[in-house]
Amino acid sequence: MTFSDGPLLEDAKAARHFFREKGYLIARNLIPATACKGVLSAFQTNIKPSDALFMRQTTTRAEKHNLSAHGLMTNPMLDVHEITEPEHQLFRDAALDVFTSSGLNKALSALLDDEPVMVQSMYFESSRGTDAHVDSHFIDATEPGRLIGAWIAVQDIDELGGRFCVYPESNRLAEDGVFDAEVTQVAQEYERQSLSVIRGYQLEKKSFSLKEVTKTRRLLMQLIKQSGVRVFAPPMNEGDVLFFSSQTLHGSLKPGAPTLEPGELGQGQGQYSRNSLTCHWVPKQQGLMRYRKVVEPMNLNYHNQTWIHQPQTSLT
Ligand SMILES: O=C(O)CCC(=O)C(=O)O
Ligand SMILES: [Fe+2]
């Protein structure tokens, strides 16, 4: 099966239609090279040498860098736009240059059909292979499915570097009448199960139950098999952006393994850099949900002509 990038964003109607049907769209060369290089060099000079604690994507806790045998950071950073320490502003501002770049803003306005508001960001220096998941179970607009993720390559990504991947059309798995009724049923069951595990951990502070996590994973594997959705791990070069819906199943391949499913073991972890930013956006008319619950009021800041939601701090 071959997949395409989708229509150009200049044709906003066609782009929105493709995005709604397929659950993703790729815009090549959207972020200026200077902005990408700015982030790369600020990461190397301003963040990498630091032994400070930074918020991490996998644990949602502040931790020091974990470095691979090849010296690459293996614990991705969370919400880099919210870094407050003055000594790390160089990197935060370089990341903000990317997040607030006019091409990205225009693209998101076209896809959301509203003004975009950034609600989350991440930075990866390398990939460990992210298990396939649906962002909507973690974060979404008040109308589920309206949040859009943007995955941004700030360097040319090696084929073996643990490419980001999506499952085209998986955004509609739980929608009645699109797939076979049995598939829709499994999709809805997977959603209930996944949400209950995530809510238990994040909201009710329960410890992870291996049994429940295994059940979630089994349902996901069954869903992928029964629906026939396939992995698409496109080549991504500096400045390319992959937009994906909060309902789209996505993850990243294990480094060293260009053909395996996300989460399967490859070789070469920590060997290839995969410098990339991701950011998540909701339409301005919407509020924000975490774990499908409204847990925090919107706090909008207007920075460089871009709306950014910041729970605690404000940008100056
Ligand atoms: O880049 C990755 O490996 C995962 C990113 C992701 O899941 C996201 O941005 O929602
Ligand atoms: Fe994700």
Side-chain angles (χ1 to χ4, degrees):
M1 204 180 304
T2 54
F3 298 110
S4 76
D5 286 359
L8 294 176
L9 280 153
E10 283 72 31
D11 187 348
K13 214 170 150 210
R16 268 198 299 277
H17 179 74
F18 180 91
F19 190 79
R20 163 95 194 95
E21 295 290 313
K22 308 285 181 190
Y24 76 94
L25 183 133
I26 301 173
R28 300 286 171 190
N29 226 350
L30 190 67
I31 310 293
T34 46
C36 293
K37 290 185 167 60
V39 170
L40 260 185
S41 87
F43 177 76
Q44 288 304 330
T45 58
N46 192 217
I47 300 294
K48 197 73 184 288
S50 169
D51 63 0
L53 305 175
F54 295 99
M55 281 301 286
R56 303 294 168 168
Q57 175 247 349
T58 17
T59 56
T60 51
R61 293 207 179 93
E63 294 165 7
K64 292 187 179 188
H65 302 319
N66 289 337
L67 297 183
S68 72
H70 296 265
L72 296 173
M73 182 183 79
T74 57
N75 48 347
M77 299 164 74
L78 180 66
D79 289 334
V80 292
H81 65 287
E82 280 176 24
I83 292 174
T84 48
E85 302 79 25
E87 66 270 27
H88 299 129
Q89 265 186 32
L90 185 77
F91 175 69
R92 185 197 70 166
D93 290 349
L96 277 168
D97 281 349
V98 171
F99 299 141
T100 65
S101 64
S102 64
L104 184 65
N105 230 287
K106 276 195 202 124
L108 286 158
S109 304
L111 291 176
L112 291 167
D113 208 9
D114 191 358
E115 284 183 80
V117 178
M118 190 169 88
V119 293
Q120 191 179 55
S121 69
M122 300 170 197
Y123 186 83
F124 292 73
E125 189 189 21
S126 71
S127 166
R128 304 176 67 189
T130 306
D131 284 343
H133 64 279
V134 172
D135 282 348
S136 181
H137 305 170
F138 298 88
I139 189 167
D140 210 336
T142 32
E143 183 188 335
R146 295 296 314 276
L147 174 141
I148 291 182
W151 194 95
I152 304 165
V154 296
Q155 67 165 143
D156 294 353
I157 311 284
D158 195 286
E159 187 189 6
L160 300 178
R163 279 180 177 176
F164 182 74
C165 60
V166 290
Y167 289 80
E169 297 175 26
S170 59
N171 56 314
R172 305 190 69 184
L173 284 168
E175 199 176 311
D176 285 322
V178 180
F179 286 79
D180 287 349
E182 303 90 83
V183 170
T184 312
Q185 212 178 335
V186 180
Q188 292 171 354
E189 211 179 316
Y190 162 64
E191 179 173 299
R192 269 195 303 276
Q193 173 65 20
S194 168
L195 268 173
S196 125
V197 170
I198 295 164
R199 277 187 186 166
Y201 180 72
Q202 295 285 1
L203 297 176
E204 295 147 32
K205 304 293 169 205
K206 287 190 198 154
S207 53
F208 261 127
S209 143
L210 185 60
K211 190 171 147 241
E212 295 302 315
V213 173
T214 308
K215 189 174 166 195
T216 316
R217 202 169 158 71
R218 279 220 190 96
L219 279 168
L220 177 59
M221 292 304 130
Q222 186 189 346
L223 179 60
I224 291 172
K225 201 165 166 218
Q226 259 178 253
S227 63
V229 291
R230 292 268 175 274
V231 175
F232 177 37
M236 295 289 287
N237 290 322
E238 181 194 73
D240 292 349
V241 182
L242 194 161
F243 297 96
F244 56 104
S245 149
S246 61
Q247 312 269 36
T248 302
L249 203 51
H250 66 281
S252 53
L253 305 182
K254 285 278 178 188
T259 54
L260 298 176
E261 299 281 312
E264 286 185 43
L265 214 70
Q267 285 177 355
Q269 190 159 303
Q271 190 175 338
Y272 303 91
S273 65
R274 199 204 67 171
N275 285 279
S276 43
L277 283 165
T278 86
C279 42
H280 294 80
W281 303 76
V282 298
K284 193 155 174 279
Q285 300 300 319
Q286 297 270 321
L288 176 67
M289 290 203 290
R290 294 190 196 264
Y291 330 113
R292 291 281 171 84
K293 280 197 157 83
V294 179
V295 288
E296 68 198 47
M298 292 301 270
N299 179 27
L300 298 190
N301 286 273
Y302 201 52
H303 180 81
N304 195 15
Q305 312 202 15
T306 307
W307 292 106
I308 300 179
H309 161 67
Q310 292 210 294
Q312 283 120 17
T313 55
S314 73
L315 288 169
T316 48

